[in-house]
Amino acid sequence: TSNNYLHIQTRNLANLTAIIQNECIDRIGFTLLAREIMNKQTLLIPDFSGAIQFRVLEDHDYFLKANFSRNSRVPTMNDFYWPYVGNPYLKNEYSYNSELTYEMHQELSSDLNLKYNLTFFHNSIKDMILWHSVGNTLSVDNISKVRTMGFEPNVSMVYTIDKLNAAFNAGYSFTKAINETNHKQIVYIPEHQANGLLRISYDNIYTSFIANIVGVRFLTADNTTFSSGQDYLPSYMISNLTTGVKFQISSYSMDLNFSIENLFDVSYQSIAQYPLPGRSYLFKILLQFN
Protein backbone atom coordinates (compact mmCIF):
# COMPACT_ATOMS: atom_id res chain seq x y z
CA THR A 1 0.00 0.00 0.00
CA SER A 2 1.33 3.45 -0.88
CA ASN A 3 -0.15 6.82 0.05
CA ASN A 4 0.86 7.97 -3.42
CA TYR A 5 -1.41 5.55 -5.28
CA LEU A 6 -5.06 6.31 -5.92
CA HIS A 7 -6.08 2.78 -4.88
CA ILE A 8 -4.51 -0.21 -3.12
CA GLN A 9 -2.44 -2.22 -5.61
CA THR A 10 -0.95 -5.70 -5.15
CA ARG A 11 1.45 -7.92 -7.05
CA ASN A 12 3.18 -11.26 -6.51
CA LEU A 13 6.61 -11.56 -8.07
CA ALA A 14 9.09 -14.42 -7.56
CA ASN A 15 12.40 -15.39 -9.13
CA LEU A 16 14.85 -18.26 -8.92
CA THR A 17 18.52 -17.92 -9.90
CA ALA A 18 21.21 -20.56 -10.40
CA ILE A 19 24.88 -19.76 -10.98
CA ILE A 20 27.98 -21.82 -11.74
CA GLN A 21 31.39 -20.17 -11.55
CA ASN A 22 34.95 -21.31 -12.18
CA GLU A 23 37.61 -18.85 -11.03
CA CYS A 24 40.35 -17.94 -13.51
CA ILE A 25 43.22 -19.48 -11.54
CA ASP A 26 45.22 -20.71 -14.53
CA ARG A 27 44.27 -19.49 -18.01
CA ILE A 28 40.47 -19.79 -18.35
CA GLY A 29 37.54 -19.01 -16.08
CA PHE A 30 33.80 -18.87 -16.75
CA THR A 31 30.46 -17.98 -15.22
CA LEU A 32 27.04 -19.35 -16.21
CA LEU A 33 23.81 -17.95 -14.82
CA ALA A 34 20.14 -18.76 -15.35
CA ARG A 35 17.14 -16.95 -13.87
CA GLU A 36 13.42 -17.69 -14.01
CA ILE A 37 10.82 -15.05 -13.10
CA MET A 38 7.18 -15.66 -12.21
CA ASN A 39 4.97 -12.61 -12.63
CA LYS A 40 1.18 -12.74 -12.09
CA GLN A 41 1.37 -16.55 -11.93
CA THR A 42 3.00 -16.61 -15.38
CA LEU A 43 6.52 -17.85 -16.06
CA LEU A 44 8.51 -15.47 -18.24
CA ILE A 45 11.03 -16.57 -20.85
CA PRO A 46 14.15 -17.49 -18.81
CA ASP A 47 17.03 -15.03 -18.56
CA PHE A 48 20.62 -16.21 -18.87
CA SER A 49 24.19 -14.99 -18.84
CA GLY A 50 27.44 -16.55 -20.01
CA ALA A 51 30.87 -15.05 -19.38
CA ILE A 52 34.39 -16.27 -20.11
CA GLN A 53 37.72 -14.91 -18.91
CA PHE A 54 41.03 -15.76 -20.59
CA ARG A 55 44.49 -14.96 -19.22
CA VAL A 56 46.49 -13.76 -22.24
CA LEU A 57 49.96 -14.43 -20.77
CA GLU A 58 50.91 -16.86 -18.07
CA ASP A 59 52.06 -15.25 -14.81
CA HIS A 60 50.70 -11.87 -15.96
CA ASP A 61 47.38 -10.24 -15.11
CA TYR A 62 46.35 -9.54 -18.71
CA PHE A 63 42.82 -10.72 -19.42
CA LEU A 64 40.32 -10.88 -22.23
CA LYS A 65 36.73 -11.07 -21.01
CA ALA A 66 33.53 -11.68 -22.96
CA ASN A 67 29.93 -11.74 -21.80
CA PHE A 68 26.57 -12.37 -23.45
CA SER A 69 23.25 -12.21 -21.63
CA ARG A 70 19.50 -11.94 -21.92
CA ASN A 71 17.72 -9.85 -19.28
CA SER A 72 14.12 -9.08 -18.40
CA ARG A 73 12.75 -6.06 -16.61
CA VAL A 74 9.25 -6.12 -15.16
CA PRO A 75 7.71 -2.64 -14.76
CA THR A 76 7.84 -1.36 -11.18
CA MET A 77 4.72 -0.49 -9.21
CA ASN A 78 5.49 3.20 -9.75
CA ASP A 79 5.79 2.60 -13.52
CA PHE A 80 2.27 1.19 -13.40
CA TYR A 81 0.47 3.25 -10.79
CA TRP A 82 2.16 6.57 -10.04
CA PRO A 83 -0.75 9.10 -9.97
CA TYR A 84 -1.57 10.72 -13.32
CA VAL A 85 1.72 9.44 -14.78
CA GLY A 86 1.86 5.65 -14.39
CA ASN A 87 0.92 3.45 -17.33
CA PRO A 88 -0.94 0.21 -16.40
CA TYR A 89 -0.55 -1.04 -19.99
CA LEU A 90 3.24 -1.20 -19.97
CA LYS A 91 4.89 -4.32 -21.39
CA ASN A 92 7.87 -6.12 -19.88
CA GLU A 93 11.25 -4.97 -21.15
CA TYR A 94 13.73 -7.47 -22.68
CA SER A 95 17.32 -7.03 -23.78
CA TYR A 96 20.24 -8.94 -25.27
CA ASN A 97 23.59 -7.61 -24.07
CA SER A 98 27.16 -8.31 -25.16
CA GLU A 99 30.50 -7.04 -23.84
CA LEU A 100 34.15 -7.49 -24.71
CA THR A 101 36.81 -6.28 -22.25
CA TYR A 102 40.58 -6.14 -22.20
CA GLU A 103 42.04 -5.72 -18.72
CA MET A 104 45.61 -5.45 -17.50
CA HIS A 105 47.19 -5.06 -14.08
CA GLN A 106 50.90 -4.38 -13.95
CA GLU A 107 53.48 -3.43 -11.33
CA LEU A 108 55.58 -0.75 -13.02
CA SER A 109 57.86 -0.67 -9.99
CA SER A 110 57.84 -1.72 -6.36
CA ASP A 111 56.07 1.56 -5.56
CA LEU A 112 53.78 2.04 -8.59
CA ASN A 113 50.87 -0.13 -9.78
CA LEU A 114 48.86 0.39 -12.96
CA LYS A 115 45.47 -1.04 -13.87
CA TYR A 116 43.72 -0.42 -17.19
CA ASN A 117 40.64 -1.78 -18.91
CA LEU A 118 38.77 -1.08 -22.11
CA THR A 119 35.22 -2.34 -22.68
CA PHE A 120 33.14 -2.39 -25.85
CA PHE A 121 29.42 -3.07 -25.51
CA HIS A 122 26.32 -3.58 -27.66
CA ASN A 123 22.77 -3.98 -26.36
CA SER A 124 19.50 -4.60 -28.18
CA ILE A 125 16.43 -3.69 -26.10
CA LYS A 126 12.80 -4.48 -26.88
CA ASP A 127 9.92 -2.51 -25.31
CA MET A 128 12.26 -0.31 -23.30
CA ILE A 129 10.50 1.33 -20.33
CA LEU A 130 11.26 5.04 -20.41
CA TRP A 131 10.16 8.03 -18.34
CA HIS A 132 10.25 11.24 -20.35
CA SER A 133 8.96 14.82 -20.35
CA VAL A 134 5.74 15.77 -22.11
CA GLY A 135 5.46 19.54 -21.82
CA ASN A 136 5.62 20.29 -18.11
CA THR A 137 4.65 16.77 -17.03
CA LEU A 138 6.17 13.29 -17.05
CA SER A 139 5.05 10.21 -18.95
CA VAL A 140 6.19 6.58 -19.02
CA ASP A 141 5.93 4.41 -22.15
CA ASN A 142 7.49 1.50 -23.99
CA ILE A 143 9.86 2.14 -26.90
CA SER A 144 9.51 -0.75 -29.34
CA LYS A 145 13.21 -1.16 -30.11
CA VAL A 146 16.37 0.52 -28.81
CA ARG A 147 20.00 -0.17 -29.67
CA THR A 148 22.87 1.00 -27.46
CA MET A 149 26.57 0.70 -28.23
CA GLY A 150 29.78 2.32 -27.10
CA PHE A 151 33.01 1.89 -25.20
CA GLU A 152 34.39 2.61 -21.72
CA PRO A 153 38.11 3.01 -20.96
CA ASN A 154 39.27 3.22 -17.33
CA VAL A 155 42.72 3.66 -15.82
CA SER A 156 43.96 3.68 -12.23
CA MET A 157 47.40 4.16 -10.68
CA VAL A 158 48.52 3.71 -7.10
CA TYR A 159 51.82 5.00 -5.74
CA THR A 160 52.97 3.97 -2.27
CA ILE A 161 56.17 4.81 -0.44
CA ASP A 162 56.51 4.56 3.33
CA LYS A 163 53.47 6.32 4.82
CA LEU A 164 52.59 8.19 1.64
CA ASN A 165 49.89 6.80 -0.66
CA ALA A 166 48.58 8.46 -3.82
CA ALA A 167 45.83 7.02 -6.03
CA PHE A 168 44.47 8.29 -9.32
CA ASN A 169 41.43 6.93 -11.22
CA ALA A 170 39.91 8.19 -14.45
CA GLY A 171 37.18 6.87 -16.70
CA TYR A 172 35.24 7.84 -19.79
CA SER A 173 32.08 6.49 -21.37
CA PHE A 174 30.75 6.97 -24.89
CA THR A 175 27.19 5.73 -25.40
CA LYS A 176 25.00 5.82 -28.47
CA ALA A 177 21.47 4.93 -27.36
CA ILE A 178 19.33 5.01 -30.49
CA ASN A 179 15.58 4.76 -30.83
CA GLU A 180 15.22 2.54 -33.91
CA THR A 181 11.95 4.28 -34.82
CA ASN A 182 13.43 7.73 -35.45
CA HIS A 183 17.18 7.00 -35.13
CA LYS A 184 17.61 9.65 -32.41
CA GLN A 185 19.41 9.54 -29.05
CA ILE A 186 17.20 8.35 -26.17
CA VAL A 187 16.14 11.13 -23.80
CA TYR A 188 18.19 11.62 -20.61
CA ILE A 189 21.06 9.41 -21.86
CA PRO A 190 24.23 11.47 -22.53
CA GLU A 191 26.66 10.41 -25.23
CA HIS A 192 29.64 11.49 -23.12
CA GLN A 193 30.42 10.96 -19.45
CA ALA A 194 33.71 11.08 -17.57
CA ASN A 195 34.95 10.89 -14.00
CA GLY A 196 38.19 11.30 -12.11
CA LEU A 197 39.47 10.75 -8.58
CA LEU A 198 42.70 11.87 -6.91
CA ARG A 199 43.31 10.69 -3.33
CA ILE A 200 46.44 11.40 -1.28
CA SER A 201 47.05 10.14 2.23
CA TYR A 202 49.95 10.36 4.65
CA ASP A 203 49.76 8.14 7.69
CA ASN A 204 46.23 8.78 9.04
CA ILE A 205 45.55 12.07 7.22
CA TYR A 206 43.92 12.03 3.78
CA THR A 207 42.37 14.27 1.15
CA SER A 208 40.51 13.46 -2.06
CA PHE A 209 39.16 15.33 -5.07
CA ILE A 210 36.40 13.85 -7.26
CA ALA A 211 35.07 15.24 -10.54
CA ASN A 212 32.15 13.95 -12.60
CA ILE A 213 31.33 15.26 -16.07
CA VAL A 214 27.96 14.61 -17.74
CA GLY A 215 27.29 15.59 -21.36
CA VAL A 216 24.21 17.10 -22.96
CA ARG A 217 20.95 15.15 -22.46
CA PHE A 218 17.97 15.61 -24.71
CA LEU A 219 14.43 15.89 -23.33
CA THR A 220 12.53 15.37 -26.58
CA ALA A 221 12.32 12.28 -28.77
CA ASP A 222 13.44 14.23 -31.85
CA ASN A 223 16.47 15.70 -29.98
CA THR A 224 15.26 19.26 -30.55
CA THR A 225 17.46 21.94 -28.97
CA PHE A 226 16.71 25.60 -28.45
CA SER A 227 18.84 28.43 -27.11
CA SER A 228 16.48 28.68 -24.12
CA GLY A 229 17.69 25.26 -22.97
CA GLN A 230 14.17 24.06 -22.16
CA ASP A 231 14.31 21.01 -24.41
CA TYR A 232 17.70 19.71 -23.33
CA LEU A 233 19.82 19.66 -20.20
CA PRO A 234 23.26 21.20 -20.72
CA SER A 235 26.49 19.45 -19.79
CA TYR A 236 27.96 20.02 -16.34
CA MET A 237 30.87 19.08 -14.09
CA ILE A 238 30.41 18.45 -10.37
CA SER A 239 33.45 18.39 -8.08
CA ASN A 240 33.72 17.27 -4.45
CA LEU A 241 36.62 17.86 -2.05
CA THR A 242 37.13 15.89 1.18
CA THR A 243 39.78 16.10 3.90
CA GLY A 244 39.89 13.91 6.97
CA VAL A 245 41.83 12.07 9.63
CA LYS A 246 41.51 8.53 10.99
CA PHE A 247 42.20 7.33 14.53
CA GLN A 248 42.59 3.80 15.86
CA ILE A 249 41.68 3.55 19.53
CA SER A 250 41.61 0.15 21.16
CA SER A 251 38.86 -1.90 19.52
CA TYR A 252 37.33 0.85 17.38
CA SER A 253 38.34 3.35 14.74
CA MET A 254 37.15 6.91 14.19
CA ASP A 255 37.10 8.86 10.94
CA LEU A 256 36.56 12.64 11.07
CA ASN A 257 36.21 14.39 7.73
CA PHE A 258 35.05 17.65 6.19
CA SER A 259 33.62 17.78 2.68
CA ILE A 260 32.63 20.42 0.19
CA GLU A 261 30.21 19.03 -2.37
CA ASN A 262 29.62 20.84 -5.67
CA LEU A 263 32.82 22.75 -4.98
CA PHE A 264 32.36 25.30 -7.77
CA ASP A 265 28.66 25.90 -7.00
CA VAL A 266 27.45 24.65 -10.40
CA SER A 267 23.76 25.04 -11.26
CA TYR A 268 22.55 21.74 -12.77
CA GLN A 269 19.66 19.28 -13.05
CA SER A 270 19.57 15.50 -13.35
CA ILE A 271 15.83 15.59 -14.03
CA ALA A 272 14.25 18.52 -15.86
CA GLN A 273 12.75 21.22 -13.61
CA TYR A 274 14.25 19.70 -10.45
CA PRO A 275 17.37 21.78 -9.62
CA LEU A 276 19.94 20.10 -7.40
CA PRO A 277 21.80 21.72 -4.48
CA GLY A 278 24.60 24.18 -4.98
CA ARG A 279 27.73 24.19 -2.85
CA SER A 280 27.24 22.17 0.35
CA TYR A 281 29.40 21.73 3.45
CA LEU A 282 29.38 18.52 5.46
CA PHE A 283 31.16 17.37 8.61
CA LYS A 284 31.07 13.65 9.30
CA ILE A 285 32.02 11.39 12.20
CA LEU A 286 32.30 7.68 11.44
CA LEU A 287 32.78 5.12 14.22
CA GLN A 288 33.60 1.49 13.47
CA PHE A 289 33.60 -1.15 16.21
CA ASN A 290 35.39 -4.48 15.94
Side-chain angles (χ1 to χ4, degrees):
T1 304
S2 170
N3 293 332
N4 293 309
Y5 298 163
L6 301 179
H7 307 284
I8 293 177
Q9 303 291 349
T10 62
R11 177 170 73 181
N12 291 319
L13 186 68
N15 70 76
L16 177 67
T17 302
I19 184 170
I20 299 174
Q21 186 174 27
N22 177 46
E23 297 288 345
C24 186
I25 298 175
D26 296 319
R27 297 293 296 272
I28 297 178
F30 67 87
T31 301
L32 298 176
L33 178 147
R35 177 183 293 112
E36 179 59 90
I37 299 175
M38 177 180 285
N39 181 32
K40 299 179 181 179
Q41 299 181 340
T42 300
L43 292 175
L44 305 185
I45 298 174
D47 292 335
F48 62 86
S49 176
I52 188 169
Q53 178 175 287
F54 175 70
R55 188 187 298 269
V56 179
L57 297 175
E58 292 185 14
D59 303 323
H60 288 80
D61 290 335
Y62 302 163
F63 297 99
L64 277 176
K65 301 179 180 180
N67 179 78
F68 181 77
S69 64
R70 181 192 188 278
N71 298 287
S72 304
R73 177 187 170 195
V74 177
T76 66
M77 296 290 276
N78 286 347
D79 292 335
F80 279 137
Y81 305 118
W82 193 260
Y84 314 111
V85 178
N87 182 352
Y89 302 104
L90 287 172
K91 301 176 183 178
N92 295 339
E93 176 184 309
Y94 302 97
S95 66
Y96 289 92
N97 314 295
S98 54
E99 285 187 355
L100 180 63
T101 300
Y102 173 72
E103 179 181 299
M104 61 167 286
H105 182 195
Q106 186 174 6
E107 290 187 6
L108 299 180
S109 69
S110 59
D111 304 323
L112 183 62
N113 286 284
L114 171 67
K115 186 175 182 180
Y116 174 80
N117 65 71
L118 175 62
T119 298
F120 295 91
F121 62 89
H122 182 280
N123 307 313
S124 179
I125 307 170
K126 181 180 179 182
D127 294 326
M128 180 179 181
I129 301 168
L130 185 69
W131 287 68
H132 57 96
S133 300
V134 179
N136 293 324
T137 63
L138 288 174
S139 180
V140 57
D141 300 295
N142 290 111
I143 299 180
S144 59
K145 190 174 182 181
V146 172
R147 176 171 47 87
T148 67
M149 63 184 69
F151 60 91
E152 298 177 347
N154 292 275
V155 62
S156 64
M157 291 185 291
V158 178
Y159 178 76
T160 304
I161 181 171
D162 296 329
K163 296 182 178 181
L164 176 66
N165 178 274
F168 172 76
N169 298 283
Y172 168 76
S173 175
F174 174 77
T175 304
K176 292 291 290 184
I178 302 300
N179 183 341
E180 293 288 348
T181 301
N182 61 7
H183 303 287
K184 299 292 186 179
Q185 184 82 356
I186 298 297
V187 298
Y188 279 112
I189 299 181
E191 284 191 2
H192 307 281
Q193 293 188 85
N195 61 80
L197 164 67
L198 177 63
R199 178 186 172 93
I200 300 175
S201 64
Y202 182 81
D203 199 7
N204 60 343
I205 302 173
Y206 65 89
T207 186
S208 65
F209 176 79
I210 300 174
N212 291 290
I213 301 172
V214 177
V216 172
R217 289 155 297 147
F218 295 105
L219 301 179
T220 58
D222 60 359
N223 293 178
T224 304
T225 60
F226 298 105
S227 58
S228 63
Q230 295 180 355
D231 289 288
Y232 75 99
L233 296 178
S235 59
Y236 63 85
M237 183 180 78
I238 300 299
S239 304
N240 301 328
L241 180 66
T242 300
T243 299
V245 59
K246 293 182 178 181
F247 300 98
Q248 184 70 41
I249 305 175
S250 185
S251 61
Y252 70 91
S253 62
M254 177 183 292
D255 186 340
L256 307 177
N257 67 66
F258 175 73
S259 299
I260 305 176
E261 296 187 352
N262 194 353
L263 180 63
F264 301 109
D265 199 23
V266 174
S267 176
Y268 72 105
Q269 300 176 28
S270 291
I271 299 176
Q273 303 180 42
Y274 288 88
L276 292 171
R279 186 183 296 116
S280 304
Y281 305 91
L282 301 93
F283 179 71
K284 301 177 185 178
I285 302 175
L286 176 64
L287 288 173
Q288 291 182 315
F289 297 90
N290 297 321

